[in-house]
């Protein structure tokens, strides 16, 4: 058969949402390329997706439902039919509901696939069931809260605005790994003469595209932003006209907050020298159109929302929003204009039910009562690897009385703890409607190939479960495409100029917001936000501030994986160089540790084996673990999140993956039993 080319989209939790051209032959994807007609990705893909067919047709794909035949975590399973699997789930859930009530069932999902229908497919089902609700806060709710504290619901500037900037600050963002295509606009600015400066805790791969890197202490960016504002105001570099017209609370900030952030104090808090602070402030204050590209990492701290809030004040101070090419980009917050409520169906809830924060999964499974969680349904997420406090999560998942179902493409660490595993389709095998969070693109895609093995999509599994549980609502009988048709049939001001035929063609379409004012309660940028306590931004200490273990631990993203996705690909794991812990040469030397040797990182929560990578890219006092590994490819029996805690952010109930300290010792010494 001659190959055909099908349009699709990258389904992963990445802001770029790249367009794909998939070459299909005999019902198989044989090649995957970037779609040159995609407005944001323009034909290029990252190294993870250029061989997506190797994920889709990986020999590790699950192809039938599996029933556990050994103890939890052993990974011993035998194939069963879909009919039997669904029947067993319905019977067990019915018994749990009869004995403990429906809230004893907890769904757990996040972002294995980002399409609106498949991602949210479980919501209507679990609402109708009356199950406990999951607060999906693992990623960046503190960033959202900190940003909204200042900017309200103001639509994000399109990310390509940055190409007209003359000073780009890549702030807490490893863009080469996590938002590759935003860098194309940064590079364009650089070619036109812009300076590109990186502010991170270590020299990430993104340092290679920056002119300079400023290495800050973890969790100190709020202090840094306030220190920069202090210098700007000291030297009269603020934009008084813009502030008077568009900003609320500048006099209060100047009088009450800024005196606390002189350069000497800020240098001590951030680890930057006083001269680096001066250089940063002068460059920012004197640039024609400074632009901040803001990452998520620095919000995953006990003070994360406040750090973001302080940074969000900087563009307002210098009037950057009024200058072509100036401003900031922290992610698209309202793109698409689809009625998500028509997917999630809150109206199916039988009444009030409890909500469980997903970052507290360990607590929820181990200690939470009233009622105790007896049934867990995990879909498109891998909490045994990605959730904080891995030991608590594994203790919970190991409970013999917990009935766990995992719907997955692969036998992940979480699947190993399931009573039943259901095989999931990949994005090439189902329909969905995508909206990006790193651009204003939306795209409708249909299956390019038939399901691999007996795999089924999230939407189709919940249809089967709804039928088995006796739900009569016609809603549960629709196909994913029926629901997408319905979403598109509802009018939205965001889509008023959209030609429906454009979406039907399968191409990505951009829905840029009209430029307008600031959507805050006051209609101004709220440096002072009277609804918050404190009303002005301030430096707050992070959780690990007073802890005494020698190293801050960065659990940073890897170029060659996406959270725990892509571990199935041998070539990508090899390019990552194994599960490594990066350390400064002086620290390694003092401990007698050598590059490439096994080490053990440990704290009160657990201990994890790594291979040591010694590099001057990491400053003293910091260690870096890039990527979230599957245990079966790890040097030991735990991965990085055995070292991260369930503590939450100051706002939004977010994760604090970067706010932890560890000790590191020679891994050839005997284990100390820290993973009970
Ligand atoms: N290749 C790859 N791509 C990804 C992901 C991945 O894991 N790998 N993850 C995806 C997901 S889920 C998301 S949410 C997005 C964003 O993914 P995120 O994990 O939020 O990554 P970034 O926004 O790049 O932010 C991480 C950077 O923040 C830095 N950082 C940490 N603490 C601080 C601090 O206190 N101050 C400063 N200045 N910097 C700090 C880290 O060193 C790191 O370089 O990317 C997505 N894309
Ligand atoms: N240490 C540390 N931990 C982190 C982070 C960090 O920076 N450091 N980042 C955190 C962040 S930002 C996030 S967003 C979370 C993300 O955590 P998750 O959302 O759990 O992301 P993944 O690890 O990519 O796991 C997604 C799983 O979904 C499966 N999947 C893909 N498509 C489908 C589908 O259509 N149906 C079904 N049923 N399954 C599918 C994939 O095979 C994969 O195993 O991780 C967090 N964990
Ligand atoms: S992971 Fe991100 S950069 Fe890579 S192809 Fe997907 S959307 Fe594009
Ligand atoms: Mo995320």
């Amino acid at each position: 058969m001659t190959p055909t080319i099908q349009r699709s989209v990258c389904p992963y939790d990445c802001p770029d949402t790249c367009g794909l051209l998939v070459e299909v032959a005999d019902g198989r994807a044989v090649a995957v390329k970037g779609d040159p007609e995609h407005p944001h990705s323009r034909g290029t893909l990252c190294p993870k997706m250029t061989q997506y067919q190797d994920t889709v047709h990986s020999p590790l794909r699950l192809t039938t439902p599996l029933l556990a035949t050994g103890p939890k975590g052993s990974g011993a399973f035998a194939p069963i039919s879909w009919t039997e699997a669904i029947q067993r789930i319905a019977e067990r859930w019915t018994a749990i509901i009869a004995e403990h009530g429906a809230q004893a069932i907890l769904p757990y999902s996040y972002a294995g696939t980002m399409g609106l229908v498949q991602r949210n497919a479980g919501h209507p089902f679990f609402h109708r069931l009356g199950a406990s609700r999951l607060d999906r806060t693992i990623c960046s709710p503190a960033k959202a809260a900190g940003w909204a504290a200042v900017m309200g619901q103001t639509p994000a500037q399109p990310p390509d605005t940055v190409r007209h900037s003359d000073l780009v600050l890549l702030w807490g963002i490893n863009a080469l790994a996590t938002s590759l295509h935003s860098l194309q606009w940064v590079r364009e600015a650089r070619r036109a003469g812009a300076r590109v400066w990186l502010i991170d805790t270590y020299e990430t791969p993104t340092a290679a595209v920056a002119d300079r890197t400023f290495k800050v202490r973890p969790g100190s960016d709020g202090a840094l932003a306030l220190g920069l504002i202090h210098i700007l105001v000291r030297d009269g570099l603020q934009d008084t006209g813009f502030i008077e017209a568009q900003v609320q609370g500048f006099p209060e900030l100047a009088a009450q907050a800024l005196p606390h952030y002189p350069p000497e104090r800020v240098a001590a808090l951030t680890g930057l020298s006083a001269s680096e602070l001066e250089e940063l402030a002068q460059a920012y204050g004197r640039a024609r159109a400074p632009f901040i590209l803001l990452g998520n990492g620095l919000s995953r701290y006990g003070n994360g929302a406040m750090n973001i809030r302080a940074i969000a004040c900087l563009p307002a101070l210098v009037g950057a929003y009024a200058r072509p090419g100036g401003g900031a980009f922290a992610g698209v917050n309202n793109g698409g204009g689809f009625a998500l409520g028509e997917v999630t169906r809150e109206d199916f809830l039988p009444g009030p039910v409890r909500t469980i924060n997903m970052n507290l999964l360990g607590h929820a499974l181990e200690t939470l009562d009233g009622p105790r969680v007896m049934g867990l349904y995990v879909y498109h997420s891998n909490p045994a690897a990605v959730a904080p406090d891995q030991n608590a999560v594994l203790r919970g998942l190991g409970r013999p009385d917990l009935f766990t179902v995992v719907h997955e493409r692969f036998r992940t660490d979480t699947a190993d703890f399931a009573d039943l595993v259901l095989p999931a389709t990949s994005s090439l095998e189902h329909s969905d409607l995508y909206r990006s969070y790193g651009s204003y693109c939306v795209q409708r895609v249909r299956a390019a190939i038939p399901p691999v093995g007996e795999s089924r999509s999230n939407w189709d599994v919940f249809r089967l479960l709804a039928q088995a549980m006796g739900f009569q609502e016609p809603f549960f009988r629709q196909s994913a495409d029926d629901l997408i048709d319905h979403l598109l049939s509802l009018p939205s001001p965001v889509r008023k100029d959209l030609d429906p035929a454009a979406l039907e063609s399968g191409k990505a379409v951009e829905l840029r917001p009209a430029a307008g004012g600031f959507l805050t309660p006051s209609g101004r940028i709220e440096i002072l936000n009277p609804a918050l306590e404190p009303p002005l931004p301030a430096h707050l200490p992070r959780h690990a501030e007073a802890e005494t273990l020698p190293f801050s631990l960065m659990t940073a993203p890897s170029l060659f994986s996406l959270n725990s996705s892509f571990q199935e690909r041998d070539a990508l794991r090899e390019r990552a160089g194994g599960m490594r812990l990066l350390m400064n040469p002086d620290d390694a030397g003092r401990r007698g540790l050598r590059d490439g040797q096994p080490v053990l990182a440990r704290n009160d929560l657990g201990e994890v084996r790594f291979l040591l990578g010694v590099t001057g890219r990491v400053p003293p006092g910091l260690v870096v673990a890039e990527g979230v590994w599957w245990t079966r490819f790890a040097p030991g029996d735990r991965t990085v999140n055995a070292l991260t805690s369930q503590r939450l952010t100051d706002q939004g109930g977010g994760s604090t993956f970067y706010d932890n300290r560890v000790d590191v010792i020679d891994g050839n010494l005997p284990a100390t039993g820290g993973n009970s």
Side-chain angles (χ1 to χ4, degrees):
M1 230 168 71
T2 42
T4 57
I5 303 290
Q6 311 268 351
R7 275 213 153 77
S8 193
V9 67
C10 178
Y12 289 99
D13 186 358
C14 171
D16 295 12
T17 324
C18 296
L20 308 181
L21 294 179
V22 184
E23 194 178 316
V24 176
D26 298 324
R28 289 173 64 91
V30 293
V32 177
K33 296 196 174 66
D35 180 355
E37 291 181 60
H38 190 280
H40 186 63
S41 60
R42 305 197 298 180
T44 61
L45 302 176
C46 71
K48 307 182 291 299
M49 279 301 276
T50 48
Q51 305 288 329
Y52 185 41
Q53 71 273 14
D54 292 347
T55 288
V56 171
H57 299 292
S58 162
L60 300 179
R61 274 291 293 274
L62 297 167
T63 53
T64 66
L66 299 171
L67 181 68
T69 54
K72 303 243 169 166
S74 67
F77 293 101
I80 57 168
S81 71
W82 270 101
T83 311
E84 193 187 344
I86 296 291
Q87 200 182 339
R88 279 176 180 264
I89 297 170
E91 279 170 16
R92 193 67 187 265
W93 282 355
T94 304
I96 290 173
I97 293 168
E99 193 176 341
H100 306 274
Q103 292 186 79
I105 296 171
L106 177 68
Y108 189 101
S109 70
Y110 199 64
T113 186
M114 291 291 281
L116 295 187
V117 170
Q118 303 295 348
R119 181 179 189 184
N120 298 299
H123 287 60
F125 176 85
F126 288 110
H127 289 158
R128 171 69 177 75
L129 196 66
S132 287
R133 299 177 65 134
L134 187 73
D135 203 5
R136 290 173 170 80
T137 47
I138 201 167
C139 184
S140 47
K143 181 186 188 187
W147 190 255
V150 180
M151 300 302 289
Q153 298 308 310
T154 309
Q157 293 174 284
D160 56 357
T161 310
V162 67
R163 65 179 139 172
H164 304 298
S165 167
D166 63 336
L167 174 70
V168 183
L169 297 186
L170 300 173
W171 200 325
I173 187 167
N174 183 1
L176 200 71
T178 61
S179 54
L180 180 62
H181 292 86
S182 63
L183 281 184
Q184 68 189 313
W185 318 118
V186 174
R187 288 196 172 102
E188 201 177 313
R190 198 173 181 212
R191 281 196 294 275
R195 285 168 295 173
V196 178
W197 288 359
L198 175 67
I199 304 175
D200 206 303
T201 56
Y202 72 106
E203 239 172 78
T204 62
T206 301
V209 300
D211 302 298
R212 290 187 62 172
T213 300
F214 296 84
K215 292 183 209 166
V216 291
R217 286 216 178 97
S220 69
D221 302 81
L224 174 56
L226 289 163
L228 296 179
I229 295 173
H230 177 106
I231 299 173
L232 291 171
V233 174
R234 181 198 68 193
D235 292 357
L237 292 172
Q238 74 274 29
D239 183 335
T240 308
F242 182 86
I243 289 171
E244 277 170 11
Q246 307 282 8
V247 178
Q248 165 170 291
F250 175 71
E252 292 86 345
L253 181 84
Q256 295 163 35
L258 295 188
H260 301 294
Y261 301 96
E264 317 77 67
R265 176 167 183 239
V266 173
L269 287 169
T270 60
L272 295 179
S273 67
S275 67
E276 283 176 308
L277 294 175
E278 293 288 343
E279 272 181 284
L280 260 171
Q282 299 300 332
Y284 192 76
R286 296 180 194 280
R288 172 185 48 80
F291 195 96
I292 296 174
L293 210 57
L294 187 56
N296 300 347
L298 52 77
S299 72
R300 297 192 187 114
Y301 289 88
N303 59 1
M306 187 58 101
N307 291 336
I308 298 286
R309 189 176 161 196
I311 294 169
C313 296
L314 268 166
L317 252 286
V318 298
Y321 293 111
R323 326 233 203 111
F329 185 76
V332 168
N333 43 3
N334 58 352
F338 300 110
L340 200 56
E342 296 291 312
V343 183
T344 58
R345 297 303 297 257
E346 301 273 323
D347 56 311
F348 284 170
L349 277 164
V353 290
R354 71 174 169 188
T355 300
I356 291 176
N357 184 315
M358 70 190 300
N359 296 311
L360 305 179
L361 181 66
H363 285 315
L365 296 180
E366 268 201 292
T367 49
L368 190 68
D369 271 327
R372 191 158 169 76
V373 177
M374 301 302 295
L376 179 71
Y377 185 94
V378 181
Y379 59 114
H380 75 111
S381 182
N382 183 11
V386 303
D389 198 354
Q390 186 176 47
N391 279 308
V393 173
L394 296 186
R395 284 193 299 271
L397 289 174
R399 269 174 48 203
D401 63 337
L402 177 71
F403 176 65
T404 302
V405 181
V406 176
H407 185 206
E408 247 301 342
R409 302 178 309 166
F410 296 105
R411 220 195 75 213
T412 57
D413 289 14
T414 311
D416 276 349
F417 282 82
D419 295 272
L420 269 166
V421 182
L422 306 174
T425 42
S426 80
S427 63
L428 297 189
E429 301 151 49
H430 56 236
S431 294
D432 217 333
L433 180 62
Y434 292 83
R435 65 174 183 201
S436 169
Y437 65 94
S439 76
Y440 281 97
C441 290
V442 299
Q443 194 169 351
R444 178 177 192 167
V445 300
R446 295 176 197 268
I449 56 169
V452 167
E454 295 175 22
S455 61
R456 290 182 196 255
S457 71
N458 293 356
W459 182 260
D460 287 341
V461 174
F462 284 111
R463 275 168 59 174
L464 289 175
L465 289 169
Q467 198 182 12
M469 296 303 288
F471 297 172
Q472 298 300 326
E473 290 80 356
F475 178 88
F476 293 110
R477 289 198 284 276
Q478 309 172 84
S479 68
D481 276 306
D482 293 339
L483 183 54
I484 295 168
D485 288 340
H486 173 63
L487 287 173
L488 294 173
S489 73
L490 300 171
S492 154
V494 182
R495 282 185 281 118
K496 67 181 185 330
D497 299 325
L498 173 68
D499 169 12
L503 262 193
E504 285 311 316
S505 75
K507 290 184 192 174
V509 181
E510 239 183 331
L511 300 173
R512 290 186 176 237
F518 299 104
L519 301 186
T520 60
S522 64
R524 292 159 162 246
I525 299 177
E526 299 198 334
I527 286 180
L528 179 134
N529 185 329
L532 291 176
E533 189 43 52
L536 287 169
H539 164 71
L540 303 178
R542 66 170 175 140
H543 288 310
E545 191 74 26
E547 290 170 10
T548 53
L549 290 174
F551 293 101
S552 281
L553 171 67
M554 282 291 110
T555 64
S558 159
L559 276 173
F560 303 110
S561 56
L562 194 145
N563 302 317
S564 76
S565 292
F566 296 105
Q567 284 283 300
E568 70 279 2
R569 299 260 295 278
D570 300 344
L572 289 173
R573 290 197 318 279
E574 272 160 33
R575 285 179 76 181
M579 188 173 130
R580 293 188 305 157
L581 188 71
L582 307 179
M583 183 186 277
N584 180 272
D586 292 344
D587 285 330
R590 259 196 300 280
R591 286 171 169 71
L593 300 173
R594 293 172 322 282
D595 188 62
Q597 79 159 81
V599 289
L600 192 71
R602 59 183 185 180
N603 60 22
D604 286 349
L605 297 166
E607 56 185 40
V608 181
R609 291 181 181 282
F610 294 92
L611 299 175
L612 190 68
V614 177
T615 168
R617 295 196 291 120
V618 173
L622 195 75
V623 284
V624 180
E626 289 179 345
V628 179
W629 289 67
W630 288 356
T631 309
R632 74 171 103 156
F633 300 127
D637 60 0
R638 292 292 185 275
T639 51
V640 62
N641 282 321
L643 301 167
T644 60
S645 83
Q646 298 181 60
R647 294 181 295 211
L648 301 177
T649 50
D650 46 345
Q651 278 189 66
S655 58
T656 58
F657 285 113
Y658 294 79
D659 197 349
N660 299 280
R661 297 189 73 91
V662 294
D663 191 8
V664 181
I665 60 168
D666 186 337
N668 295 310
L669 301 171
T672 51
N675 289 321
S676 50

